[in-house]
Amino acid sequence: MRVIVVGAGLAGLTCAKVLAERGTEVTVFESSDGVGGRVRTDEKDGFLLDRGFQVYFTAYPVSKRHLDHRALDLKPFDPGAIVCRGSKRNVLSDPVRDPKALVPSLLSDAGTFPDKVRTLRLVVSSISQRAETAGELEGADSSSLELLRSYGFSERIIDDFYRPFYGGIFLDRSLATSSRVLRFTLKMLSTGKTAVPACGIGEIPKQLAARLSLDAVRTESPALRLLWDGERVAGVETTDEQHEADAVVMATDAPTARKLTGQATPEGSVGQLCAYYAADGVAGGKKIVLNAEDGGFVNNAVKISAVAPLYAPRGKHLLSAVALGWFDLPDEEIYRRGIADVTRWYPEADLTPLAIYRVSYAQFPQPPGVHEELPENRASTPGLVLAGDYTEDSSINGSMLSGEKAAGEVMRA
Ligand SMILES: Cc1cc2nc3c(=O)[nH]c(=O)nc-3n(C[C@H](O)[C@H](O)[C@H](O)COP(=O)(O)OP(=O)(O)OC[C@H]3O[C@@H](n4cnc5c(N)ncnc54)[C@H](O)[C@@H]3O)c2cc1C
């Protein structure tokens, strides 16, 4: 049996890995110059620059089936966050994971004591359900904002903590994202660590690709169209050749999959702008720094080299500052606004601009109810299987589950 996978993102690589483990001949066609899709890391002047700030949850149930965490040398963030409003900073911790920080957390004025008790209740109710993805969580879905309000959280902790914290995860501060994503993420945060691989987030797909034979992945080989044998998909055409196969797994992003297959996939996108600076004098340690101010520029920032030292050359530090939107601003203005926000929180910070990533398509939007409407891996067309985060949820874990399920569909067919 010969299988073609289109796209060497996490979904395509996981699918190819599972198929290869079962002895199937598989070729992955990737349009770009490397593996990883949305999960890649560049090197510049000794700094490791992830293509947009992203984190890995060690509790992700699917990805840990396929990844060797030890070999990734995962470096954890400190739990909780530093919440900034103007020049004021508050340490907010997750008492479940970081008991020693309970006292400063309870004393901080980002949220009242009852809000912290509500947070604990929400954590307990979120970790009690068994689920491999957000979409598998049971119970009525609503927006995250509605969920938080139904728990009685004060508007203050919603604005000061939940909007910037989950804004950084959902890439949208409005909290309109499905409460299932909030619950599932909370479960991951509370039952494992938040981390990055020592040598950059791009090590995750590289580890998957290393499990395939050397010639299995062909980069700079975009699939231009599907080949048909009557009603059945029979292969793909790339720029140089036609390639026949018994099954084609379309593992691109949702818009490309829609264009190439005609199948319905989720519309729209949420994005992230990530500015990197060589940083001196920024404190904050291994915690994420959140901007509680509405209308601010930076949503969240972190001295990522404090978490994973190899992100910066010896003796230097790397700071990543994330904004949600603002893609049209010129680079100088982005750097200037980033510096203005960070130096308000850390006046001693000395930031030198390094690079900017404008990632307009980071995730597909996940409003309440979206998970019930996502496409199945098994397409209505014989010979075609769909893979990609858009069949599960928009995350590292969701995309890998999608790849795993797609491989199962191919084997069944
Ligand atoms: C900035 C950012 C922050 C994120 N933060 C997090 C986070 O903190 N935690 C988390 O779990 N998730 C996060 N995510 C989401 C997560 O990275 C994605 O859900 C996941 O990587 C999607 O993988 P995928 O394989 O489904 O799709 P993709 O990574 O998009 O892979 C699709 C692949 O198909 C290729 N392709 C497209 N068209 C063609 C064609 N015609 N022919 C051949 N190949 C083609 C693409 O080049 C790409 O390599 C973030 C994403 C971004 C971008």
Side-chain angles (χ1 to χ4, degrees):
M1 186 180 194
R2 180 156 193 266
V3 180
I4 285 176
V5 175
V6 179
L10 294 178
L13 291 172
T14 306
C15 179
K17 170 186 168 282
V18 173
L19 289 171
E21 282 166 355
R22 293 177 192 175
T24 305
E25 188 192 335
V26 56
T27 308
V28 184
F29 291 107
E30 164 57 44
S31 56
S32 75
D33 62 356
V35 300
R38 278 169 266 171
V39 182
R40 291 186 66 176
T41 303
D42 295 322
E43 212 234 290
K44 185 182 178 190
D45 303 333
F47 291 93
L48 298 178
L49 308 176
D50 292 340
R51 293 189 180 177
F53 174 66
Q54 24 189 331
V55 297
Y56 179 75
F57 297 128
T58 61
Y60 270 156
V62 181
S63 53
K64 67 177 160 200
R65 288 204 279 271
H66 299 285
L67 296 171
D68 177 347
H69 281 185
R70 190 184 287 263
L72 287 174
D73 193 8
L74 295 167
K75 303 292 181 194
F77 291 76
D78 279 350
I82 296 170
V83 177
C84 300
R85 189 176 271 285
S87 57
K88 224 169 151 200
R89 299 195 304 249
N90 278 315
V91 177
L92 196 65
S93 273
D94 170 1
V96 177
R97 297 216 37 86
D98 189 11
K100 70 178 183 312
L102 180 63
V103 175
S105 172
L106 291 178
L107 291 178
S108 83
D109 54 1
T112 60
F113 180 73
D115 279 333
K116 280 148 197 165
V117 176
R118 289 178 192 115
T119 302
L120 273 179
R121 269 183 50 223
L122 185 56
V123 168
V124 170
S125 97
S126 301
I127 62 179
S128 60
Q129 274 198 46
R130 286 174 71 87
E132 292 216 319
T133 59
E136 286 180 13
L137 285 175
E138 286 175 358
D141 200 4
S142 66
S143 73
S144 296
L145 186 59
E146 283 167 315
L147 175 77
L148 294 171
R149 287 185 174 153
S150 74
Y151 266 74
F153 282 101
S154 68
E155 292 301 315
R156 176 122 179 264
I157 197 167
I158 291 177
D159 288 346
D160 280 8
F161 176 68
Y162 283 102
R163 280 189 200 282
F165 187 75
Y166 277 95
I169 294 174
F170 303 158
L171 308 180
D172 173 12
R173 283 173 75 109
S174 74
L175 298 175
T177 301
S178 156
S179 59
R180 290 192 177 144
V181 184
L182 184 142
R183 279 182 178 282
F184 187 73
T185 313
L186 198 55
K187 184 175 159 81
M188 296 302 103
L189 285 160
S190 312
T191 54
K193 291 182 177 155
T194 304
V196 287
C199 293
I201 200 82
E203 290 301 302
I204 293 175
K206 280 189 196 162
Q207 190 184 87
L208 291 173
R211 309 265 173 86
L212 303 172
S213 63
L214 274 181
D215 56 351
V217 182
R218 300 198 197 163
T219 54
E220 294 176 327
S221 301
L224 303 178
R225 66 179 189 92
L226 294 173
L227 300 177
W228 294 85
D229 178 7
E231 302 282 290
R232 203 179 156 280
V233 170
V236 297
E237 183 177 306
T238 59
T239 29
D240 54 348
E241 239 180 299
Q242 297 199 332
H243 309 267
E244 289 182 5
D246 300 296
V248 172
V249 179
M250 189 57 67
T252 65
D253 51 279
T256 309
R258 187 163 58 243
K259 200 171 93 200
L260 290 178
T261 66
Q263 304 280 320
T265 60
E267 309 252 357
S269 64
V270 284
Q272 185 205 89
L273 186 153
C274 181
Y276 285 106
Y277 301 90
D280 280 321
V282 186
K286 299 181 185 183
K287 275 195 198 304
I288 289 179
V289 179
L290 301 176
N291 189 356
E293 278 177 321
D294 210 21
F297 178 69
V298 172
N299 180 74
N300 55 282
V302 70
K303 193 162 76 173
I304 188 78
S305 54
V307 178
L310 292 178
Y311 270 67
R314 190 184 282 267
K316 299 199 173 162
H317 273 291
L318 176 67
L319 181 115
S320 71
V322 170
L324 306 175
W326 309 94
F327 298 117
D328 295 337
L329 286 182
D331 286 7
E332 313 79 66
E333 184 61 10
I334 290 171
Y335 285 131
R336 194 193 64 72
R337 291 195 190 195
I339 290 172
D341 277 353
V342 175
T343 51
R344 218 155 7 100
W345 308 326
Y346 295 100
E348 66 284 13
D350 180 10
L351 303 178
T352 309
L354 267 182
I356 291 173
Y357 289 86
R358 293 174 174 83
V359 188
S360 56
Y361 189 95
Q363 298 174 12
F364 65 89
Q366 299 177 91
V370 69
H371 301 104
E372 278 106 37
E373 290 164 12
L374 297 178
E376 299 286 325
N377 297 99
R378 182 196 289 258
S380 46
T381 312
L384 179 66
V385 173
L386 299 180
D389 58 352
Y390 64 88
T391 72
E392 294 295 337
D393 67 33
S394 208
S395 68
I396 291 170
N397 184 69
S399 56
M400 292 181 72
L401 178 62
S402 171
E404 194 183 275
K405 285 187 179 172
E409 283 302 333
V410 171
M411 301 309 291
R412 262 190 290 284

